[in-house]
Amino acid sequence: MSTRRLRSEDYNDYSSTDVTPEGSPPGGINGFAHPESYQRFGETNGTTWYQTLIHLLKGNVGTGLLGLPLAVKNAGILLGPLSLLVMGVVAVHCMGILVKCAHHFCYRFQKQFVDYGGAMMYGLESTPSAWLRTHAIWGRRLVGLFLIVTQLGFCCVYFVFLADNLKQVISAANGTTNDCSLNKTVAMTPTMDSRLYMLSLLPFVVLLTFIQNLKVLSIFSMLANVAMLGSLVVIYQYIVRDIPDPSGLPLAAAWKTYPLFFGTAIFAFEGIGVVLPLENKMKNPRQFPVILYVGMTIVTILYISLSVLGYLRFGADIQASITLNLPNCWLYQAVKLLFSFGIFITYAVQFYVPAEIIIPPLVARVSERWGWLVNLLLRVALVGVTCVLAILIPRLDIVISLVGSVSSSALALIFPPLLEIATYYSEGMHPLVITKDIIISLFGFVGFVVGTYEALVELAAPAATVVNATSAMVQ
């Protein structure tokens, strides 16, 4: 999403009297009957279906994917994949709900584009409740808050991921060999605490976030995509070999650990924030529903396959990120560094969203002379906050589960069904649709409460053995 679009979508722009595109044709209440009924600005420069599919895949593949094998351990070798499949179907359904409601309000108010927050505000304005209509603006603000928390939470995860992987690579440097077939215990060289690695990374991350031009970031993002794709290919070819007998793995793990699975899984599936911006950038937005279902099918297959194969390959020894289980030979050390490079660049992309929500209103309060300095200082402060939070919670598995339970569950599962009810209730909804929406929203809310509680309990409880990157590993 461009900076111009982000800054122009102010709260006051969403009045029911707004009429933007001229000559919007009549269409169905849940969609548009003609191609010209939902066109974006500058359609000739929009993205093709292939580019949109790539962006959708990139928006859903990251550190959450690498943490899914441990999530399956927390659920069980049978219950885990089945739960991932169900959550994938529900998450994609909720994305479809969001797109349908956005289309409804685009047609109703003849607007070119409605974002997630705008759809929530319009939805509350459509409810029979006078109190909700009066306070509809809080729907937009609540979505904005959770978007900020989610994106900054991703940034916290990236700090922990980078520190753990760099620490392991450096610790095993003296024992790293060219032979990846060796089966021996590698002694780790003592090195500094992972939290010091986070502090060491802080200046470089700050400099990266000073890049505010999306075109420049897109170049680095392309390099990150290539690095992460190559790393995934190498990871797959390793874990499919020498899979031990899985008969000793539990079909279903203890229920106490299932909430941790929920947090990690919903963290991985939380790509709903990119759905509407991607559709708005397309040359032909009518192709987007097909792209959404095809892309998320690929993502779900990728999630289930890597999580199952990773857990089968490493069993009870699986770590918070599957990269930490790779052998200490130069090939797989390079994989860890390549994926770390990809995540490092992705930090700037994820940081862009909360920065564009928080910083412009604050910069507007100072004179133009000091605007650039305030901008940079705010970026330093926001990056510093994510680094401090990562230092306070230096366990990758727990911080992923916590971020997923706290914020991702709200955006991906709780809000969309409630939005559908708010949007269409006054126009008449089938009782089964209302029941379905309530069940999905309650499922997300229970996951939010229980997942957050269990993550905090796990974080507070003293552990005799904490999984971290410097443990000696048998390869």
Side-chain angles (χ1 to χ4, degrees):
M1 189 185 299
S2 69
T3 307
R4 182 182 299 108
R5 173 58 55 84
L6 280 165
R7 291 179 178 175
S8 66
E9 292 292 333
D10 194 47
Y11 296 151
N12 297 327
D13 290 339
Y14 290 97
S15 62
S16 58
T17 58
D18 255 356
V19 178
T20 38
E22 298 180 14
S24 295
I29 196 84
N30 294 330
F32 301 92
H34 308 289
E36 65 268 27
S37 61
Y38 188 65
Q39 297 297 318
R40 62 177 295 280
F41 294 114
E43 61 181 53
T44 55
N45 296 322
T47 56
T48 64
W49 69 268
Y50 174 75
Q51 291 171 323
T52 303
L53 178 62
I54 296 300
H55 287 313
L56 182 65
L57 295 176
K58 177 62 175 69
N60 284 274
V61 175
T63 52
L65 169 65
L66 302 180
L68 286 177
L70 180 60
V72 169
K73 175 187 174 183
N74 288 327
I77 191 60
L78 177 62
L79 182 60
L82 290 177
S83 299
L84 275 177
L85 178 60
V86 171
M87 291 185 69
V89 170
V90 173
V92 175
H93 176 67
C94 289
M95 292 178 184
I97 289 175
L98 178 60
V99 171
K100 182 180 71 171
C101 293
H103 283 190
H104 173 80
F105 293 122
C106 282
Y107 168 74
R108 180 176 173 184
F109 299 124
Q110 298 189 2
K111 297 182 76 68
Q112 290 280 17
F113 175 66
V114 173
D115 63 7
Y116 197 163
M120 281 295 294
M121 186 180 72
Y122 283 144
L124 292 178
E125 288 178 351
S126 304
T127 60
S129 170
W131 188 88
L132 288 177
R133 291 197 302 270
T134 304
H135 298 84
I137 188 64
W138 286 99
R140 181 181 178 89
R141 291 170 179 168
L142 188 62
V143 169
L145 174 64
F146 275 99
L147 279 172
I148 291 172
V149 172
T150 300
Q151 299 301 121
L152 292 182
F154 289 166
C155 293
C156 293
V157 171
Y158 295 162
F159 262 112
V160 181
F161 177 88
L162 290 170
D164 281 356
N165 280 270
L166 288 178
K167 181 177 182 180
Q168 189 185 72
V169 169
I170 294 174
S171 299
N174 291 336
T176 301
T177 67
N178 293 322
D179 188 353
C180 296
S181 63
L182 293 178
N183 184 23
K184 66 177 183 178
T185 300
V186 177
M188 298 293 188
T189 302
T191 184
M192 62 183 181
D193 189 275
S194 61
R195 288 166 288 194
L196 294 178
Y197 279 92
M198 297 180 203
L199 286 176
S200 302
L201 288 166
L202 180 60
F204 302 99
V205 176
V206 167
L207 291 176
L208 181 67
T209 59
F210 284 172
I211 301 175
Q212 302 174 43
N213 189 317
L214 279 181
K215 290 185 178 180
V216 177
L217 279 179
S218 66
I219 298 174
F220 288 102
S221 183
M222 181 184 67
L223 296 176
N225 292 344
V226 172
M228 293 168 72
L229 177 61
S231 301
L232 279 178
V233 171
V234 177
I235 290 173
Y236 264 102
Q237 67 83 28
Y238 178 75
I239 62 178
V240 297
R241 295 181 289 144
D242 303 323
I243 294 179
D245 182 10
S247 59
L249 301 178
L251 297 179
W255 285 104
K256 183 176 178 60
T257 60
Y258 190 83
L260 298 177
F261 161 84
F262 173 87
T264 304
I266 199 61
F267 176 92
F269 275 112
E270 203 292 294
I272 196 168
V274 304
V275 168
L276 293 180
L278 285 180
E279 186 198 32
N280 185 50
K281 291 178 181 179
M282 289 191 67
K283 289 181 180 178
N284 184 6
R286 289 171 60 87
Q287 297 177 333
F288 186 76
V290 176
I291 295 171
L292 175 63
Y293 292 120
V294 170
M296 292 308 298
T297 298
I298 296 173
V299 168
T300 302
I301 293 173
L302 182 65
Y303 282 0
I304 294 176
S305 61
L306 185 69
S307 61
V308 172
L309 289 173
Y311 184 39
L312 288 175
R313 178 66 177 81
F314 299 111
D317 295 326
I318 189 67
Q319 298 201 48
S321 169
I322 195 172
T323 56
L324 301 177
N325 285 96
L326 296 177
N328 290 303
C329 66
W330 286 114
L331 172 63
Y332 296 108
Q333 297 292 64
V335 165
K336 298 169 192 176
L337 292 176
L338 278 175
F339 215 102
S340 296
F341 169 76
I343 294 300
F344 173 74
I345 299 301
T346 305
Y347 184 104
V349 179
Q350 297 288 2
F351 181 83
Y352 185 87
V353 175
E356 286 299 317
I357 295 175
I358 296 172
I359 294 177
L362 297 177
V363 170
R365 295 174 177 268
V366 301
S367 64
E368 187 175 348
R369 176 185 177 185
W370 299 102
W372 68 273
L373 180 60
V374 172
N375 185 349
L376 297 183
L377 290 176
L378 288 172
R379 290 176 180 275
V380 173
L382 286 175
V383 175
V385 167
T386 62
C387 182
V388 169
L389 291 175
I391 289 172
L392 294 175
I393 313 175
R395 292 182 56 185
L396 184 60
D397 54 337
I398 301 303
V399 71
I400 288 178
S401 183
L402 188 61
V403 171
S405 298
V406 170
S407 55
S408 299
S409 58
L411 293 173
L413 298 179
I414 300 176
F415 291 163
L418 297 180
L419 172 62
E420 184 174 38
I421 294 175
T423 302
Y424 297 109
Y425 184 81
S426 297
E427 302 171 12
M429 294 181 67
H430 195 284
L432 289 179
V433 176
I434 297 177
T435 303
K436 177 263 299 179
D437 286 342
I438 292 175
I439 290 174
I440 293 176
S441 191
L442 284 177
F443 171 68
F445 182 75
V446 171
F448 164 78
V449 174
V450 180
T452 301
Y453 172 78
E454 287 297 333
L456 292 176
V457 169
E458 186 75 13
L459 182 65
T465 304
V466 176
V467 176
N468 75 41
T470 60
S471 301
M473 296 157 47
V474 178
Q475 306 298 347

